[in-house]
Amino acid sequence: MVSTIQSLPTDVVYLITAGEVIDSFMAVVRELVENSLDAGATRIVVSLWPQQWRIRVADNGCGMNLDDLQQAATAHSTSKIHSSADLWKINSLGFRGEALHSLTTLADLEVLSRPLGGNEGQRVIYNHEGEVTQVEIKAIAPGTVVTVNNLFANCASRRQGLPTINQQLKAVQGIIQQIALCHPHVNYQVWQNDKEWFTICPAQSGGKLIPQMLPQVRQGDLHEVNFKIPNLENSSLYLVIGLPDRCHRHRSDWVKVAINGRMIKSPELEQTILSAFHKTLPRDRYPVCFLHLTISPEQINWNRNPTKTEIYLHELTFWQEQITEAINQSLRISETNIKESVQTTRVSNLLKVAEAKGEYNFNSQNSQNSETQNYLKAVAQVSNTYIVAEHSGGMWLVEQHIAHERILYEQLCDHWQLIPVETPIILYQLSPAQVSQLERINLDIEPFGDKLWAVRNIPAMLKQREDAADAILELSWGGDLQTAQVAVACRSAIRNGTKMSLPEMQTLLDNWQRTRNPRTCPHGRPIYLSLEEPALARFFRRNWVIGKSHGI
Ligand code: ADP
Ligand code: MG
């Protein structure tokens, strides 16, 4: 047989490689918007006409002169890198110089651009090889307008293989939101068939945009942290999480990871995030979390796949530790986040002054010593169920049972200990599955006669309890060690309906606020309701009274 292996004609190679990157409306939008961001745009207008297979992206970025325009769509032409060494210094979103060229092979491309400082714009039309075939002077504002017409017209199979228009539009909205989270300082306007579809207004951080994207989430439901990584120049970690007692989702679609301005898929980092939320959310619920790492470019290899959504990250374990620590910090109660919803408005400042004289004084003494600090003071118990706790920014109602459950659960995770019991606990009529379940969590169990079993060691926390047998029975019903820990914590925690003295409540509060995840119990139920001072002041219309009596 004669070998028929040949090298493919160049245009075919481009069709294939272009197809890898540009395979949908979403991909076209992504490539063009990223170009606008690389050009320093602060306003980006995306217009779609799906039925016409037309997409336009207009920006107020640096623009291109005629020389640039002649070059822009030829194969592998980019202004962003010049040599292979530059591949390790990538600071821009684009670098392959492929997008515009690919678009010329897959569609009709037209670009209008005026460079910053230039006094006129040009409109150029490209042929399918990426060469300019027409140039025309145009009066436009500085910036660039790229129009893609008849997308995939020469690739019927590609058009057919695409999902429905609605699904594609959803994907477009998704990618614009992702890009906006990473580049929040930009105004994004999106049009569909000449009608405004949605707008994303600029904000100081990605977290501040989330309420625009998830209408049921409010700013106070989120917690943001932003820190520099010690000893690593130019590296930083930005994290915004939905507080687990306030928001979560039924899918993991809002576990988002970005690196250096681009959302990526990183199963490893996503898993790190999910693990950090372990046992803080209800069953089958997922956190809202957006992580943006800024890492020196030589730590990253973007060549894991052509759409640049997967990477190889050096020092993965180091970053995983940083992320876990950042999430843990955000979940804990600290001085900075206890007053998270207290805004220092004029009214609340006035209130503080007004109240400092009165009897209703917020307890803010011992606020110097940091680590062992207690922020909460128990003041009363309501319905033998809720502890009323006050702090410098308002008051909380803490449900005693689940707060205690959280404390015990964390103690159990830290020291799960089985201790021998003098008189064995006798269980009756266990199924083989129950017996092996108890063996699986390391209980020492053996037959003790007809349908009877003796258990000779138990979790330390159950030791003094009369209901130890019931507890063991409960554990026999299945689940892993963690499930067993949750069950033991729940059973051992103080019941609702139990009267507590002030010192007992204070001890419980002190221990609870030092837990790692004080917001929710291990089943994901919220532990406290906060009544922050500004909300109370608003509710009681106190600003009116003060305003009038002080003549302002
Ligand atoms: P890449 O982004 O990988 O460099 P592209 O094919 O997407 O490759 O773009 C080619 C070049 O065209 C870019 O390097 C840039 O110089 C120029 N360019 C593309 N879009 C714009 C834009 N909106 N504003 C200014 N320059 C642009
Ligand atoms: Mg590009």
Side-chain angles (χ1 to χ4, degrees), residues 31-32 35-36 38-39 59 61-64 68 72-73 77-80 93-101 113 144 146 308:
E31 294 297 324
L32 297 183
N35 280 349
S36 299
D38 280 343
D59 67 55
C62 66
M64 286 175 274
D68 298 334
S77 60
T78 173
S79 56
K80 298 165 195 173
L93 296 168
F95 57 84
R96 300 212 169 95
E98 256 171 63
L100 291 186
H101 181 74
S113 195
T144 303
V146 178
K308 304 176 230 170

Side-chain angles (χ1 to χ4, degrees), residues 223 225 329 332-341 375:
H223 184 76
V225 291
Q329 235 180 60
R332 256 178 243 137
I333 289 177
S334 68
E335 191 162 29
T336 44
N337 70 16
I338 197 166
K339 297 185 231 164
E340 59 215 1
S341 54
Y375 305 104

Side-chain angles (χ1 to χ4, degrees), residues 399-412:
E399 208 213 81
Q400 64 193 40
H401 169 69
I402 50 178
H404 196 207
E405 184 180 334
R406 167 52 71 187
I407 301 169
L408 297 180
Y409 172 67
E410 292 193 5
Q411 286 173 0
L412 285 174

Side-chain angles (χ1 to χ4, degrees), residues 242-537:
L243 298 170
D245 51 337
R246 315 233 183 134
C247 55
H248 34 75
R249 299 186 58 81
H250 73 284
R251 284 189 294 143
S252 60
D253 56 345
W254 265 83
V255 176
K256 295 183 187 287
V257 178
I259 293 191
N260 294 3
R262 177 182 280 113
M263 211 60 91
I264 57 154
K265 282 195 219 102
S266 169
E268 300 93 349
L269 297 184
E270 283 156 29
Q271 195 46 54
T272 306
I273 294 173
L274 291 176
S275 314
F277 279 90
H278 183 69
K279 293 285 176 206
T280 65
L281 296 172
R283 194 214 266 256
D284 297 330
R285 301 291 295 183
Y286 298 88
V288 171
C289 175
F290 168 54
L291 169 75
H292 193 170
L293 301 178
T294 306
I295 301 181
S296 136
E298 66 264 24
Q299 299 270 312
I300 306 167
N301 182 349
W302 287 102
N303 279 319
R304 192 155 160 180
N305 81 344
T307 54
K308 304 176 230 170
T309 50
E310 288 168 43
I311 57 160
Y312 295 106
L313 181 61
H314 301 201
E315 310 284 353
L316 181 66
T317 331
F318 168 81
W319 287 105
Q320 287 174 316
E321 284 163 14
Q322 299 294 315
I323 294 163
T324 306
E325 181 47 34
I327 297 179
N328 289 348
Q329 235 180 60
S330 308
L331 291 172
R332 256 178 243 137
I333 289 177
S334 68
E335 191 162 29
T336 44
N337 70 16
I338 197 166
K339 297 185 231 164
E340 59 215 1
S341 54
V342 179
Q343 303 107 2
T344 41
T345 59
R346 204 161 62 113
V347 170
S348 53
N349 284 339
L350 272 174
L351 270 169
K352 280 197 191 112
V353 175
E355 280 166 349
K357 299 184 213 107
E359 270 187 277
Y360 186 58
N361 207 343
F362 290 114
N363 171 29
S364 58
Q365 289 131 18
N366 59 359
S367 56
Q368 258 79 41
N369 45 341
S370 59
E371 278 294 357
T372 53
Q373 203 175 120
N374 297 326
Y375 305 104
L376 295 168
K377 181 179 165 212
V379 288
Q381 190 189 27
V382 179
S383 305
N384 292 339
T385 299
Y386 306 104
I387 301 170
V388 181
E390 76 173 8
H391 64 81
S392 56
M395 67 168 125
W396 287 1
L397 284 183
V398 180
E399 208 213 81
Q400 64 193 40
H401 169 69
I402 50 178
H404 196 207
E405 184 180 334
R406 167 52 71 187
I407 301 169
L408 297 180
Y409 172 67
E410 292 193 5
Q411 286 173 0
L412 285 174
C413 291
D414 295 343
H415 331 271
W416 175 254
Q417 200 193 351
L418 296 170
I419 51 164
V421 277
E422 280 160 30
T423 9
I425 293 175
I426 307 300
L427 298 174
Y428 179 60
Q429 266 195 339
L430 294 180
S431 71
Q434 284 175 292
V435 175
S436 53
Q437 162 67 13
L438 292 177
E439 282 168 345
R440 202 151 65 92
I441 55 172
N442 286 329
L443 291 195
D444 179 5
I445 177 167
E446 55 193 29
F448 195 67
D450 189 28
K451 293 184 185 155
L452 292 177
W453 281 264
V455 177
R456 296 183 192 279
N457 63 352
I458 60 170
M461 208 169 267
L462 295 175
K463 190 177 169 206
Q464 306 292 341
R465 297 189 63 94
E466 288 168 7
D467 62 352
D470 294 337
I472 303 289
L473 207 54
E474 187 179 36
L475 296 184
S476 75
W477 290 117
D480 52 10
L481 180 59
Q482 276 154 0
T483 318
Q485 288 166 340
V486 174
V488 172
C490 181
R491 184 171 280 275
S492 315
I494 184 164
R495 305 263 136 216
N496 286 332
T498 312
K499 184 140 195 59
M500 293 178 81
S501 67
L502 269 183
E504 283 168 345
M505 288 190 276
Q506 188 61 51
T507 309
L508 192 145
L509 288 180
D510 293 348
N511 292 334
W512 168 64
Q513 66 189 348
R514 278 194 284 269
T515 58
R516 292 186 288 271
N517 295 304
R519 295 178 176 277
T520 51
C521 80
H523 305 98
R525 286 168 54 206
I527 294 180
Y528 69 96
L529 170 71
S530 74
L531 294 168
E532 307 300 336
E533 184 47 34
L536 293 175

